[in-house]
């Protein structure tokens, strides 16, 4: 509110939201009490009742659904907050870990376990990360609903459970490695989203491709070869079999499945970028469930598609907003 908003306005980020639908008591009653996506039969009935053509009614419902979406300014502020947090916590994590022996030798994660002292810096790192992921999980219910709501909610549940479980069982050394590794790609993603909201297309495209590389290398390369290797094999060799080991590894494997799913979507978006000469969008999240692909007005052939919205796909622009248009309705 006091930092991100002035920055957004200074960067000429669009402050107003989508175009509002004209007031209509009958359509509003249908929208709020019956359905936000009327079928063909209902559209024809409303057309006869109001003496409107079907396309005008479809346009009204589309505009009414868009009213519930956040403005570009609000999305920029949210991305700036997340970018600031990820940059801070990643920097803190790197500064902390470079002084520890387990960064360079993962077998040190299990040296002396479970009698490993909880250092104040490590405690602070854990508490801040846990607080942040709790906030993300709860804010999902009050923010606009995304298409990947279920996947992201599962991710937050697994993350919070992992952080809590590793803290309670004193598996905190390897936990710090996991936290730091996961924060790296998110910094670039939020930067790409901010560049997109500022309409810096080339910078946004570059940051998105950088994010794709960092995400895939860290989640499909470093994570299994570095983290899963030490929790599945080195931990078992050092301490033998115990129940917490299997619970911990199951949670880590669920996280890896989510990594594979997101990587597929990111590679798909990157392929479109290379084949069409432009970046489509990051398909991980950030697409509202009320996105309206069913109706579009023909666009200019030179229109660039938008990029890096923590999960979008298609050609309707970022979070349901068009990047550019030739008609007043699209604006």
């Amino acid at each position: 509110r006091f930092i991100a908003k002035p920055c957004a306005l200074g960067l000429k980020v669009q402050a107003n939201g989508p175009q509002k639908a004209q007031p209509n008591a009958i359509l509003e009653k249908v929208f709020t009490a019956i359905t936000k996506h009327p079928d063909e039969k209902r559209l024809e009935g409303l057309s006869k009742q109001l003496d409107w053509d079907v396309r005008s009614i479809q346009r009204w419902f589309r505009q009414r659904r868009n009213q519930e979406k956040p403005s570009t300014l609000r999305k920029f502020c949210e991305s700036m907050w997340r970018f600031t947090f990820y940059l801070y916590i990643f920097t803190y994590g790197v500064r902390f870990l470079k002084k520890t022996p387990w960064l360079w030798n993962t077998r040190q994660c299990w040296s002396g376990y479970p009698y490993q002292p909880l250092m104040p810096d490590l405690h602070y790192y854990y508490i801040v990360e846990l607080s942040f992921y709790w906030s993300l999980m709860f804010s999902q219910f009050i923010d606009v609903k995304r298409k990947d709501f279920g996947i992201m909610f599962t991710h937050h549940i697994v993350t919070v459970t992992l952080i809590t479980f590793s803290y309670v069982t004193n598996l905190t050394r390897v936990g710090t490695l996991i936290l730091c590794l996961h924060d790296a790609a998110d910094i670039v993603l939020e930067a790409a989203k901010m560049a997109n909201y500022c309409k810096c297309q080339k910078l946004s495209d570059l940051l998105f491709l950088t994010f794709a590389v960092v995400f895939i290398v860290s989640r499909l390369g470093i994570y299994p070869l570095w983290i899963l290797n030490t929790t599945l094999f080195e931990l078992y060799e050092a301490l033998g079999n115990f129940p917490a080991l299997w619970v911990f590894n199951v949670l880590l494997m669920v996280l890896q499945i989510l990594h594979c799913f997101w990587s597929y979507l990111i590679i798909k978006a990157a392929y479109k970028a290379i084949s069409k000469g432009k970046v489509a969008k990051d398909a991980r999240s950030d697409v509202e469930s009320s996105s309206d692909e069913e109706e579009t007005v023909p666009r200019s052939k030179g229109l660039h598609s938008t990029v890096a919205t923590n999960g979008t796909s298609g050609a309707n622009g970022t979070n349901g907003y068009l990047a550019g248009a030739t008609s007043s309705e699209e604006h």
Side-chain angles (χ1 to χ4, degrees):
R1 185 175 302 165
F2 302 110
I3 299 174
K5 188 175 180 179
C7 289
L9 296 175
L11 292 169
K12 311 296 183 185
V13 174
Q14 185 180 355
N16 57 316
Q19 181 181 353
K20 292 186 177 181
Q22 66 183 73
N24 186 292
I26 296 174
L27 294 180
E28 184 68 27
K29 185 177 180 180
V30 172
F31 182 87
T32 55
I34 302 174
T35 178
K36 296 181 180 181
H37 297 270
D39 56 22
E40 187 176 345
K41 185 177 180 181
R42 191 176 297 278
L43 287 171
E44 290 176 357
L46 290 170
S47 175
K48 293 177 182 178
Q49 184 178 358
L50 296 172
D51 196 22
W52 287 17
D53 60 89
V54 171
R55 186 164 177 79
S56 296
I57 296 174
Q58 289 176 325
R59 184 181 298 114
W60 188 94
F61 274 92
R62 185 176 67 251
Q63 291 175 346
R64 182 64 182 83
R65 288 191 295 268
N66 287 341
Q67 282 181 215
E68 300 185 348
K69 298 177 183 178
S71 66
T72 305
L73 177 64
R74 180 183 167 190
K75 290 184 287 184
F76 178 92
C77 293
E78 179 183 344
S79 290
M80 188 172 180
W81 146 241
R82 294 191 182 189
F83 171 81
T84 304
F85 175 82
Y86 285 129
L87 182 61
Y88 164 73
I89 204 66
F90 178 73
T91 304
Y92 180 89
V94 170
R95 290 183 61 188
F96 167 71
L97 286 171
K98 71 181 183 180
K99 299 180 291 185
T100 63
W102 61 86
L103 175 64
W104 316 108
N105 180 9
T106 52
R107 291 184 182 275
Q108 289 294 320
C109 290
W110 323 116
S111 177
Y113 182 85
Y115 305 106
Q116 297 171 342
L118 181 64
M119 296 177 286
D121 290 346
L122 191 153
H123 173 76
Y124 172 79
Y125 191 22
Y126 252 72
I127 293 301
V128 172
E129 287 274 20
L130 181 61
S131 302
F132 179 72
Y133 280 105
W134 269 115
S135 73
L136 289 185
M137 188 166 66
F138 284 122
S139 65
Q140 270 198 301
F141 294 97
I142 57 176
D143 289 342
V144 65
K145 194 173 183 180
R146 317 294 182 182
K147 279 188 175 179
D148 67 342
F149 176 88
I151 297 293
M152 287 304 296
F153 185 70
T154 302
H155 172 264
H156 297 328
I157 289 287
V158 172
T159 303
V160 168
T161 305
L162 262 171
I163 294 173
T164 306
F165 184 80
S166 62
Y167 186 86
V168 170
T169 56
N170 209 26
L171 295 166
T172 50
R173 291 187 177 183
V174 72
T176 56
L177 299 179
I178 298 170
L179 290 170
C180 191
L181 182 65
H182 279 72
D183 290 334
D186 291 322
I187 299 171
V188 189
L189 175 61
E190 298 302 334
K193 289 164 68 177
M194 288 193 295
N196 179 49
Y197 299 144
C198 295
K199 298 183 179 179
C200 301
Q201 188 66 39
K202 290 183 179 179
L203 176 60
S204 184
D205 291 354
L206 177 62
L207 287 169
F208 173 77
L209 293 176
T210 304
F211 158 74
V213 172
V214 174
F215 186 92
I216 292 168
V217 169
S218 62
R219 309 294 175 92
L220 297 187
I222 299 174
Y223 181 79
L225 295 177
W226 191 38
I227 302 298
L228 293 182
N229 176 64
T230 191
T231 59
L232 287 170
F233 304 109
E234 294 177 354
L235 173 55
Y236 184 80
E237 291 173 9
L239 303 172
N241 190 12
F242 60 102
L245 180 150
W246 297 106
V247 175
F248 191 54
N249 278 307
V250 166
L251 291 170
L252 292 177
M253 292 303 297
V254 171
L255 204 56
Q256 180 62 9
I257 292 170
L258 295 174
H259 293 163
C260 293
F261 173 75
W262 281 319
S263 296
Y264 162 74
L265 297 177
I266 292 168
I267 291 170
K268 194 175 174 182
Y271 174 76
K272 288 182 182 179
I274 296 170
S275 62
K276 297 183 180 180
K278 58 187 178 181
V279 174
K281 284 171 255 181
D282 164 26
R284 269 201 335 175
S285 76
D286 249 28
V287 178
E288 291 80 358
S289 58
S290 56
S291 296
D292 301 301
E293 292 92 357
E294 76 276 4
E295 245 194 302
T296 55
V297 180
R299 298 175 184 79
S300 163
K301 291 182 180 179
L303 175 63
H304 290 288
S305 62
T306 49
V307 59
T309 61
N310 195 10
T312 51
S313 60
N316 276 0
T318 307
N319 285 338
Y321 295 108
L322 295 163
T326 56
S327 71
S328 59
E329 180 189 344
E330 287 180 300
H331 282 296

